[in-house]
Amino acid sequence: TIVLNNPRRRNALSLPMLRCLRHDLLHDVKSRELRAIVIAAEGPVFCSGHDLKELSSEDDVKHHSQVFELCAEVMTLIQKLPVPVIAKVNGLATAAGCQLVASCDIAVASEKSQFATPGVNIGLFCSTPAVALGRSLPRKVALEMLFTGEPLSAQEALMHGLVSKVVPEDKLEEETMKISHKICESSKSVLALGKATFYRQITQDLDTAYRMTTQVMVDNLTLRDGQEGIEAFIQKRKPVWSH
């Protein structure tokens, strides 16, 4: 579990926060013991997005570029990791904070959570959050969020596919761990192959996607765990994964 822990700054994705997040996401990533990553936060705001003090005219264009480039690197890293990444959201997620939720593989939110891209209200359109948002939500829902800055409730976010589940606040930890533990029951190598393939095929046309995934299914069968799972099913026993 990685915890965004700067509640006094509303867990803003400052350069130091982004560097820490990148470091923690990569920590022990090759360890066989690592099966899932949960991103959580302290305080009433999950993440407020970029630290606007870093985006003022006091800093030059080079510094501004560094902020957005590192943020894009962290967001794309989440989908490149070989294990599922789960956002555990309990509170407000805005701008790049909403982008972070949309970039995770799974998101579990408490009923009090809200999601918004309000950059337009301060003259800074949420163009980079829109990349993740536009890939998670129907286009018209994403554009309404981007054009108005108005928040989605947790239930609206669930209805439109921004989050996977909405639960009462007192059940958030339990539900997130339930999903994590279920993931941990599967083969790490099979999950890694499946996750990488999902993100490759989702941007392709139908025929290309089927050609690619057909070959991946064949490749999956050459994995030690691919054969172990089938043999265990036939023999009516639990598989023993090598990961």
Side-chain angles (χ1 to χ4, degrees):
T1 300
I2 298 169
V3 181
L4 307 180
N5 192 16
N6 191 5
R8 287 196 300 175
R9 299 290 302 156
R10 296 162 63 90
N11 294 316
L13 294 177
S14 61
L15 272 174
M17 180 74 92
L18 284 167
R19 290 185 183 117
C20 286
L21 184 53
R22 178 178 60 184
H23 175 272
D24 289 345
L25 285 167
L26 290 170
H27 179 67
D28 277 348
V29 74
K30 294 183 179 179
S31 167
R32 197 169 75 167
E33 281 66 44
L34 180 67
R35 305 289 173 74
I37 295 172
V38 175
I39 300 178
E42 284 291 330
V45 176
F46 175 78
C47 179
S48 61
H50 290 293
D51 186 341
L52 295 181
K53 288 184 177 180
E54 293 183 341
L55 304 179
S56 70
S57 59
E58 294 177 11
D59 292 304
D60 58 17
V61 171
K62 184 178 179 181
H63 179 83
H64 296 162
S65 296
Q66 187 180 12
V67 170
F68 293 118
E69 286 168 5
L70 180 56
C71 186
E73 181 186 342
V74 169
M75 300 300 168
T76 54
L77 172 62
I78 289 170
Q79 295 181 358
K80 292 175 182 176
L81 292 171
V83 296
V85 181
I86 305 168
K88 185 177 81 170
V89 186
N90 188 29
L92 184 63
T94 61
C98 188
Q99 180 185 3
L100 178 59
V101 175
S103 298
C104 288
D105 303 310
I106 297 170
V108 186
S110 68
E111 292 171 333
K112 74 176 187 180
S113 299
Q114 288 187 305
F115 306 85
T117 48
V120 68
N121 297 330
I122 60 165
L124 182 64
F125 197 86
C126 286
S127 293
T128 45
V131 175
L133 215 62
R135 285 160 170 75
S136 296
L137 293 168
R139 184 176 299 181
K140 288 178 174 59
V141 177
L143 286 171
E144 182 180 346
M145 288 181 70
L146 292 161
F147 290 161
T148 68
E150 289 297 303
L152 288 184
S153 68
Q155 288 296 337
E156 287 171 326
L158 177 65
M159 179 174 65
H160 295 303
L162 181 59
V163 301
S164 318
K165 287 192 175 182
V166 173
V167 296
E169 185 177 4
D170 62 354
K171 297 289 185 184
L172 183 59
E173 174 72 13
E174 177 186 336
E175 187 60 36
T176 305
M177 288 301 103
K178 181 180 175 183
I179 295 169
S180 300
H181 291 152
K182 184 62 181 174
I183 288 168
C184 291
E185 293 177 7
S186 299
S187 160
K188 181 175 181 177
S189 55
V190 171
L191 280 174
L193 178 65
K195 176 175 172 174
T197 303
F198 178 85
Y199 285 113
R200 280 173 60 201
Q201 65 83 22
I202 202 70
T203 59
Q204 297 174 339
D205 65 81
L206 197 63
D207 290 339
T208 304
Y210 269 120
R211 279 197 301 274
M212 189 267 286
T213 54
T214 297
Q215 183 57 52
V216 171
M217 295 292 285
V218 174
D219 294 341
N220 195 154
L221 288 172
T222 68
L223 292 178
R224 182 175 169 185
D225 282 351
Q227 286 301 312
E228 166 62 16
I230 291 172
E231 288 174 12
F233 179 81
I234 293 170
Q235 295 169 10
K236 294 181 171 59
R237 62 174 175 81
K238 289 192 72 172
V240 180
W241 305 123
S242 66
H243 305 291

